[in-house]
Amino acid sequence: MGLKAGIVGLPNVGKSTLFTALSRAKAEAANFPFCTIEPNQGVVTVPDRRLDKIVEIVKPANVVPATVEIVDIAGLVRGASEGEGLGNQFLDHIRNVDAILHVVRCFDSSEIVHVEGVPDPIRDKEIIDTELMLKDLELVERRLERLQKRLKAGDKEARKEVEILKLLKEHLEQGIPVRAIDLNDEDAQKLIKQYQFLTAKPVVYIANIDEAQINNPGEYVKKLEEVAQKEGTFVLPICAKVEAELAEIEDEQERQELLEMYGLEEPGINRLIRTAYQLLGLITFFTAGPKEVRAWPIVKGTTAYEAAGKIHSDIQKGFIRAEVISYEDYIKYGGEQGAKEAGRLRLEGKDYVVQDGDVIYFRFNV
């Protein structure tokens, strides 16, 4: 898949606790356990009840869930953009992810030291935002300097790039992240992808709360939600301490009892994984047969031809058609045969845009 979500935040806000909970979490329908790629990077299964329902109907020999990569990036501090706290190294780690899970501490505690003295979610969030914007601004200014010779020579492409970069510079200097700048220009969008601006990446805020706030998040979270709403994103409240506790419990009944004690329907880690999946712009299609039921993660907007290539290059090369059943019809009519008899199986060509939840069988000729 190759897409990654990075966990960022100040030191001691609960990033590593959440990452540890992820590493120990047991996915409900998964035979694909968390596996460590590097000390700070792992692959987690995406909890999906739709996969469970399809498995109940098909009863396959094997089940493979969708997965997402999560990277735990060490805490950033003030001055990170200038190298403080190994900031340049950590900012480069952020450049290599596709979406950001920004953890913000939203509880008071005399036992847990805060790098700024006391928690202030808005200030803490802005410290990280500022460092990311300063790094983007540095990149813009360096690039503008390098374009001067080409600009003087009358290079039209250079002139267009300078116009875009100056627009980005103006907004960044005003404290506006790249993702919030209204850019409908196709050249501008290509440029942003090319330079991997840190503040161009989609972000969601993870509010780390304490046990007492699980069913009543409190003022810290409300303030963070107000800011997030203005930015066009949202806040996901999670108690990292409880998640770590849940992840350590092997017995399923004990886990369920603890969830009930806190009034939770499922671990918050499940919501975090699904949030990361959505933030990366991913949807799922399924393949289902007696040998295997599998959830395939693809970027929203993927065509049937491209989706076939996710399974195997031979299927893509020999593509004839895609036999598609919506997830709702697959469940309603008890599987492929029932959907066929009800006339709910559709034949689609190469250009069909795969929808979230589609159950697909690809016809191909090698």
Side-chain angles (χ1 to χ4, degrees):
M1 181 178 62
L3 295 177
K4 303 175 186 176
I7 303 177
V8 308
L10 293 172
N12 290 350
V13 295
K15 302 186 314 303
S16 295
T17 304
L18 282 173
F19 190 76
T20 299
L22 282 166
S23 71
R24 294 175 181 169
K26 305 293 190 297
E28 294 171 357
N31 66 349
F32 195 117
F34 179 101
C35 65
T36 300
I37 298 173
E38 293 176 1
N40 65 337
Q41 183 172 326
V43 178
V44 294
T45 57
V46 180
D48 192 334
R49 291 189 177 93
R50 296 175 304 179
L51 181 66
D52 302 344
K53 293 289 185 183
I54 294 171
V55 168
E56 285 175 13
I57 292 171
V58 180
K59 297 179 174 59
N62 191 37
V63 181
V64 182
T67 62
V68 63
E69 289 186 49
I70 305 286
V71 182
D72 178 26
I73 296 167
L76 294 170
V77 295
R78 286 185 190 272
S81 59
E82 298 175 355
E84 288 293 327
L86 296 179
N88 287 324
Q89 180 182 340
F90 300 149
L91 288 165
D92 283 341
H93 289 163
I94 297 173
R95 200 176 302 284
N96 292 328
V97 302
D98 303 282
I100 295 173
L101 304 169
H102 185 162
V103 181
V104 182
R105 179 172 153 184
C106 289
F107 66 90
D108 294 307
S109 172
S110 58
E111 297 176 3
I112 303 173
V113 176
H114 192 285
V115 70
E116 291 289 323
V118 294
D120 180 337
I122 306 305
R123 177 206 61 205
D124 296 351
K125 165 204 165 309
E126 288 177 351
I127 289 172
I128 301 295
D129 289 348
T130 298
E131 295 305 323
L132 299 186
M133 282 189 276
L134 285 172
K135 200 65 180 175
D136 280 350
L137 190 56
E138 179 188 311
L139 177 60
V140 168
E141 289 172 342
R142 282 205 317 265
R143 184 58 185 164
L144 281 171
E145 284 179 18
R146 290 173 185 167
L147 286 169
Q148 290 309 305
K149 285 185 180 179
R150 287 174 54 192
L151 192 62
K152 288 176 181 177
D155 189 318
K156 290 183 180 179
E157 288 184 9
R159 186 183 302 119
K160 176 67 175 177
E161 186 173 344
V162 166
E163 287 174 7
I164 296 166
L165 289 171
K166 282 185 175 179
L167 178 65
L168 297 181
K169 183 174 185 289
E170 180 184 336
H171 283 80
L172 286 166
E173 287 175 338
Q174 294 172 17
I176 300 170
V178 174
R179 63 178 167 271
I181 303 171
D182 187 14
L183 293 170
N184 295 320
D185 187 293
E186 190 175 328
D187 290 331
Q189 292 171 0
K190 285 180 181 178
L191 186 72
I192 288 168
K193 284 183 181 179
Q194 177 185 340
Y195 287 113
Q196 295 181 299
F197 290 110
L198 300 176
T199 63
K201 300 176 189 298
V203 64
V204 68
Y205 297 102
I206 311 299
N208 185 14
I209 56 178
D210 64 20
E211 301 99 309
Q213 296 173 288
I214 287 176
N215 295 303
N216 185 22
E219 287 301 314
Y220 280 162
V221 176
K222 287 179 183 176
K223 288 179 181 178
L224 191 59
E225 285 175 337
E226 288 173 7
V227 174
Q229 190 173 16
K230 290 176 183 176
E231 295 180 3
T233 185
F234 62 96
V235 175
L236 181 64
I238 288 182
C239 179
K241 183 179 177 182
V242 169
E243 294 305 317
E245 189 178 344
L246 280 165
E248 288 178 354
I249 299 174
E250 296 288 342
D251 184 78
E252 185 56 39
Q253 186 174 341
E254 281 186 45
R255 280 164 53 85
Q256 194 57 43
E257 288 172 358
L258 187 60
L259 284 169
E260 289 174 4
M261 186 178 85
Y262 285 112
L264 297 169
E265 292 184 6
E266 64 175 348
I269 287 298
N270 287 8
R271 289 182 288 126
L272 175 59
I273 296 169
R274 286 197 295 267
T275 296
Y277 194 76
Q278 293 163 6
L279 202 60
L280 290 166
L282 299 172
I283 62 170
T284 303
F285 77 90
F286 302 94
T287 51
K291 290 184 178 180
E292 181 181 89
V293 167
R294 187 174 197 135
W296 297 89
I298 55 172
V299 176
K300 189 175 182 180
T302 297
T303 64
Y305 180 73
E306 292 165 337
K310 296 290 182 182
I311 300 175
H312 199 285
S313 58
D314 286 347
I315 297 177
Q316 187 177 48
K317 288 175 184 175
F319 184 99
I320 298 173
R321 65 176 180 269
E323 298 180 358
V324 183
I325 304 169
S326 72
Y327 166 77
E328 290 76 16
D329 286 339
Y330 195 93
I331 300 303
K332 181 178 180 180
Y333 297 106
E336 182 181 343
Q337 190 57 40
K340 274 184 182 178
E341 292 170 0
R344 304 303 296 173
L345 183 149
R346 311 187 312 274
L347 302 181
E348 302 286 359
K350 289 182 177 181
D351 295 332
Y352 169 71
V353 177
V354 177
Q355 301 300 300
D356 188 36
D358 280 350
V359 183
I360 306 178
Y361 179 77
F362 292 97
R363 295 284 181 185
F364 67 103
N365 183 25
V366 179

